[in-house]
Amino acid sequence: MSASVPGDYVIRSIRADEWPAVKELRLRALRDPLAHLAYLETYDDAAARPDSFWQERAAKAAEGQSEAQQIVAVGPGGLWLGTVTVLVEEAGTTDWAGFPVERRQGHVVGVFVRPEWRGSGLTKALFDVGLEWAWANGAERVRLIVHPDNGRAQGAYRNAGFVASGRTVPLVGGPGDHELEFVLER
């Protein structure tokens, strides 16, 4: 079947014992030509992490967890085709960038779809499942951040219903380094 035909994959939450696949897909994502714009870590840093890191990462975002959920699309032969992770940010806390969290929200991170599946509708399908999880876990809105130069990702996020909030998020690395916040209200 063609990669663009819906139904060639199953979208579901990961299981804790699938940490080797979590690691493999993350390392593949970090080799993407736009990885330097999309992720806050490098391939070399991630590849050097011990198995215990990947085991913990998978366990914290596995099926049944309430603070984070990693969603994957599993294709023919069990190949992981893409992923999104949704973290819960609680009202009254401070986010990773130092901004106050005003209401319970989801924060989408780690978005990746294998190149041969881009444009097939898979990214939106992953977002739909991630958003459903966020709403079921009491999120009032879901957000993500994206580099201003990453037009490919911005297009995918707009297609999933996200809009620019107008907020910029500074990044460590030098003057002018920032990303844009995109949001989707419930």
Side-chain angles (χ1 to χ4, degrees), residues 95-153:
D95 73 9
W96 66 272
F99 290 108
V101 176
E102 297 171 3
R103 52 195 169 140
R104 186 177 175 92
Q105 62 189 12
H107 186 152
V108 176
V109 298
V111 177
F112 177 73
V113 171
R114 291 179 185 268
E116 62 272 23
W117 283 81
R118 294 177 188 154
S120 70
L122 179 61
T123 304
K124 182 162 184 336
L126 283 163
F127 268 98
D128 288 347
V129 174
L131 291 167
E132 181 181 313
W133 180 85
W135 304 145
N137 279 278
E140 295 179 35
R141 75 179 199 146
V142 176
R143 72 178 187 138
L144 54 85
I145 63 166
V146 60
H147 196 279
D149 296 336
N150 195 343
R152 181 181 80 198

Side-chain angles (χ1 to χ4, degrees), residues 28-40:
R28 181 168 301 278
L30 291 170
R31 287 190 294 256
D32 188 272
L34 295 181
H36 67 287
L37 297 178
Y39 305 108
L40 298 177

Side-chain angles (χ1 to χ4, degrees), residues 6-89:
D8 281 356
Y9 50 81
V10 173
I11 297 179
R12 62 169 177 80
S13 296
I14 67 164
R15 294 183 303 271
D17 66 351
E18 294 178 309
W19 66 267
V22 169
K23 177 181 178 180
E24 188 277 330
L25 195 61
R26 179 63 172 191
L27 293 177
R28 181 168 301 278
L30 291 170
R31 287 190 294 256
D32 188 272
L34 295 181
H36 67 287
L37 297 178
Y39 305 108
L40 298 177
E41 72 178 330
T42 66
Y43 174 85
D44 290 341
D45 288 344
R49 295 186 189 280
D51 288 348
S52 59
F53 170 86
W54 299 102
Q55 291 163 352
E56 184 178 330
R57 183 178 186 139
K60 285 184 175 181
E63 184 176 48
Q65 295 298 318
S66 61
E67 293 181 12
Q69 199 75 181
Q70 183 172 355
I71 310 293
V72 292
V74 183
L79 181 67
W80 284 15
L81 309 175
T83 185
V84 301
T85 299
V86 182
L87 312 174
V88 173
E89 296 176 327

